[in-house]
Amino acid sequence: MTTEKITGTKVIDAEGAYITPGGIDAHVHLDQDDFPNGDTFETGTRSAIAGGTTSIIAFALQPKGQHDLEKAVDNYFERTECGAYCDYGFHLILSDPTPEVLKQLPRMVERGLTSLKVFTTYPMYKINDSELLDVLLETRKLKITMMIHAENYDVIKYLNEKLEQKKLTDPYYHAVSRPEEAEDEASYRVITLSKFVDTPILIVHMSCEASINHVENAQKKLLPVYAETCPQYLFLTSDYLKAGCEHHVHPEDPFEGAKYICSPPLRADTTELDGVWRKIQNGTVTIFSSDHAPSIYEHPNGKKRGLINGLPHYQHIPNGLSGVETRVPLLFCYGVETGRITPQRFVELCSTNPAKIYGLSETKGSIGVGMDADITIWYPKGKMLPFELTNEMLHHQIDHTAFAGMTFTNWPKYTVVRGELVWDRDNGGIVGKLGFGKFLKRGASALAGPRKELNPILA
């Protein structure tokens, strides 16, 4: 047996540090019409590679009343013409699933959009239970990954009206208007509907233990129900929405809590954060995404849109936090390096499981022969000087981050996309080229398929 020295165009000494598959952030909002002051594909993917993410999946939105899916999707493909620093794909958001629209889904699969998202809340997006059953049936037939934003619309509407009557409209009341019960009920309901049609589902950005318990109970019955959570539900509480919070960068600004508005909202108690951590540790949570959906704070159409004649109105504040750059380092530092999760669990959540559930597992999510060489290389433990994060350190185009002030004990030292070095933290930072990222035409999910024959009544 002979051995040959492996050679390449560039040699990187990992110095004994962890080498992990590149991160896949499967929940990223870029250049959407409802986020007019958010990130573009240029700035969002630049931020991604700086945080160890090598692939992102963004959203192409079908507006209500727009029944031509080709036109809606083409509109979003045009937004990628600026180029991207990492590989990218699209989910389809369905807001108006008429029979005419559902007939077009096979064409979306042909184009590589093998996942779609629906909402049970927001007037401009929500679909009712009957429409959801129709969508579940079609996604079952096509083996499309079905993502659901699960919150009870009527509970939220009811509370919004009560809070408005009492003139309780500061940013903090956004969290009050979307209680855990709204997510709890909707999560149980969509699981029940998916069981009826026998369609796998992924409930996205789950924020509390009570709702994730429904997923765990379904999994114990061997139902194909999956859960996604995000960094904000591990590290932040609704106190951040209050005026004068000690964690604010400018606590003298009474409106700064608007920066922390997202849906589902930040929860009130650290025990809820611990509950979500437990569901990560025990394997119930399938993937860890950012739900990157930020808006610029200091802009009349950004977060400041919620200031009307100088008065705060939380219902007019754009939802969403930044996170595509901080997602992977947060879980590595506070999960792996603290011993809260294993390195293997970290890789499952950030890379391998997203690849499996979104039809990328033949090329992404693992390090192996025949796979894309998407790699994140860390610093050896203790070799990087810990630092407190400031927004100025990040590479998005947003003027704030919800994770400012948090201490990081590690950060990706190198990011490699398809064998090309694109991030070198100690030697120039961004070294990749805009336009190197390519569109990911995805196949069927490795996890999304029916378990049994279709009920003939539904055929």
Side-chain angles (χ1 to χ4, degrees):
M1 178 179 173
T2 60
T3 59
E4 296 182 8
K5 185 177 181 181
I6 297 175
T7 60
T9 57
K10 185 177 181 65
V11 177
I12 296 174
D13 184 357
E15 302 179 86
Y18 279 115
I19 301 172
T20 59
I24 299 173
D25 196 340
H27 196 147
V28 177
H29 298 271
L30 298 178
D31 208 0
Q32 280 184 217
D33 290 337
D34 47 350
F35 298 106
N37 299 104
D39 272 311
T40 64
F41 277 85
E42 176 182 351
T43 62
T45 58
R46 180 181 68 199
S47 195
I49 61 172
T53 289
T54 53
S55 299
I56 60 102
I57 309 180
F59 292 87
L61 168 65
Q62 176 219 11
K64 279 196 184 291
Q66 166 63 272
H67 293 163
D68 185 343
L69 292 186
E70 290 273 9
K71 183 176 180 180
V73 169
D74 286 345
N75 180 271
Y76 280 89
F77 270 101
E78 290 171 5
R79 303 177 194 209
T80 68
E81 291 176 358
C82 66
Y85 284 94
C86 69
D87 294 344
Y88 63 91
F90 281 113
H91 308 291
L92 177 66
I93 293 178
L94 276 187
S95 64
D96 199 358
T98 65
E100 174 192 1
V101 166
L102 294 178
K103 288 178 182 177
Q104 300 172 54
L105 290 181
R107 174 58 183 150
M108 297 298 102
V109 172
E110 289 174 6
R111 296 187 65 174
L113 281 72
T114 55
S115 51
L116 63 83
K117 180 182 179 183
V118 295
F119 293 78
T120 64
T121 188
Y122 298 128
M124 68 183 83
Y125 301 138
K126 73 175 290 290
I127 64 175
N128 60 39
D129 287 355
S130 177
E131 291 171 322
L132 178 55
L133 287 170
D134 283 338
V135 177
L136 285 167
L137 187 58
E138 291 304 311
T139 57
R140 180 193 195 278
K141 295 174 182 176
L142 296 169
K143 294 187 178 181
I144 291 173
T145 302
M146 182 72 183
M147 309 160 68
I148 305 179
H149 177 140
E151 288 183 286
N152 184 300
Y153 169 77
D154 290 301
V155 167
I156 296 166
K157 180 175 180 290
Y158 182 81
L159 288 172
N160 281 334
E161 291 170 354
K162 294 293 185 185
L163 291 165
E164 184 74 30
Q165 290 169 8
K166 297 178 183 296
K167 301 190 185 307
L168 300 174
T169 58
D170 286 352
Y172 173 72
Y173 291 100
H174 168 80
V176 176
S177 75
R178 309 180 86 96
E180 292 177 20
E181 289 82 0
E183 182 181 329
D184 185 2
E185 185 280 333
S187 298
Y188 177 81
R189 175 160 43 95
V190 300
I191 290 171
T192 301
L193 294 176
S194 73
K195 179 182 177 182
F196 172 67
V197 185
D198 186 32
T199 300
I201 60 169
L202 170 74
I203 305 178
V204 295
H205 46 52
M206 302 192 80
S207 70
C208 53
E209 189 171 25
S211 59
I212 304 177
N213 279 338
H214 297 307
V215 175
E216 184 172 11
N217 290 334
Q219 291 174 351
K220 288 177 179 177
K221 298 173 184 176
L222 303 182
L223 296 175
V225 177
Y226 307 102
E228 172 198 83
T229 196
C230 308
Q232 50 268 37
Y233 307 120
L234 299 182
F235 300 106
L236 309 176
T237 65
S238 59
D239 282 346
Y240 284 72
L241 279 73
K242 294 179 179 178
C245 174
E246 63 178 341
H247 300 289
H248 289 179
V249 178
H250 303 289
E252 72 281 359
D253 177 359
F255 192 65
E256 190 165 356
K259 295 177 180 178
Y260 301 87
I261 283 186
C262 59
S263 294
L266 307 181
R267 297 306 178 188
D269 199 288
T270 55
T271 58
E272 280 303 331
L273 308 184
D274 293 337
V276 178
W277 271 110
R278 281 194 292 273
K279 299 307 179 185
I280 283 178
Q281 291 166 323
N282 75 6
T284 301
V285 171
T286 313
I287 65 172
F288 186 68
S289 305
S290 69
D291 193 10
H292 180 85
S295 296
I296 295 170
Y297 180 65
E298 292 289 352
H299 194 285
N301 288 322
K303 295 287 189 179
K304 286 286 181 77
R305 192 171 73 198
L307 272 180
I308 302 173
N309 297 323
L311 297 176
H313 291 267
Y314 69 83
Q315 290 191 66
H316 296 278
I317 300 169
N319 270 256
L321 309 180
S322 64
V324 70
E325 187 167 346
T326 49
R327 172 190 72 113
V328 171
L330 279 167
L331 192 61
F332 191 86
C333 292
Y334 289 88
V336 176
E337 293 214 324
T338 63
R340 209 162 190 175
I341 60 172
T342 64
Q344 291 85 353
R345 185 76 182 114
F346 166 81
V347 169
E348 288 174 356
L349 289 160
C350 292
S351 304
T352 310
N353 285 351
K356 287 180 179 179
I357 207 163
Y358 289 116
L360 289 170
S361 56
E362 291 187 3
T363 55
K364 305 287 188 184
S366 304
I367 299 174
V369 176
M371 306 291 287
D372 285 353
D374 292 348
I375 297 169
T376 303
I377 302 176
W378 300 84
Y379 287 88
K381 189 173 178 63
K383 288 291 186 73
M384 189 198 81
L385 188 66
F387 65 90
E388 286 191 3
L389 184 71
T390 66
N391 188 62
E392 292 69 29
M393 297 174 179
L394 301 177
H395 295 76
H396 55 203
Q397 67 173 4
I398 309 303
D399 56 4
H400 63 280
T401 171
F403 305 103
M406 291 190 67
T407 298
F408 287 80
T409 54
N410 212 324
W411 195 272
K413 186 175 183 181
Y414 303 104
T415 304
V416 178
V417 176
R418 283 182 279 113
E420 293 291 326
L421 183 66
V422 296
W423 167 254
D424 184 342
R425 188 170 181 266
D426 296 332
N427 297 285
I430 300 289
V431 295
K433 292 181 173 59
L434 180 64
F436 179 70
K438 67 176 184 179
F439 172 68
L440 298 170
K441 185 176 180 180
R442 295 176 290 120
S445 169
L447 301 179
R451 296 170 299 132
K452 54 190 179 183
E453 292 296 319
L454 179 64
N455 184 330
I457 297 174
L458 302 177

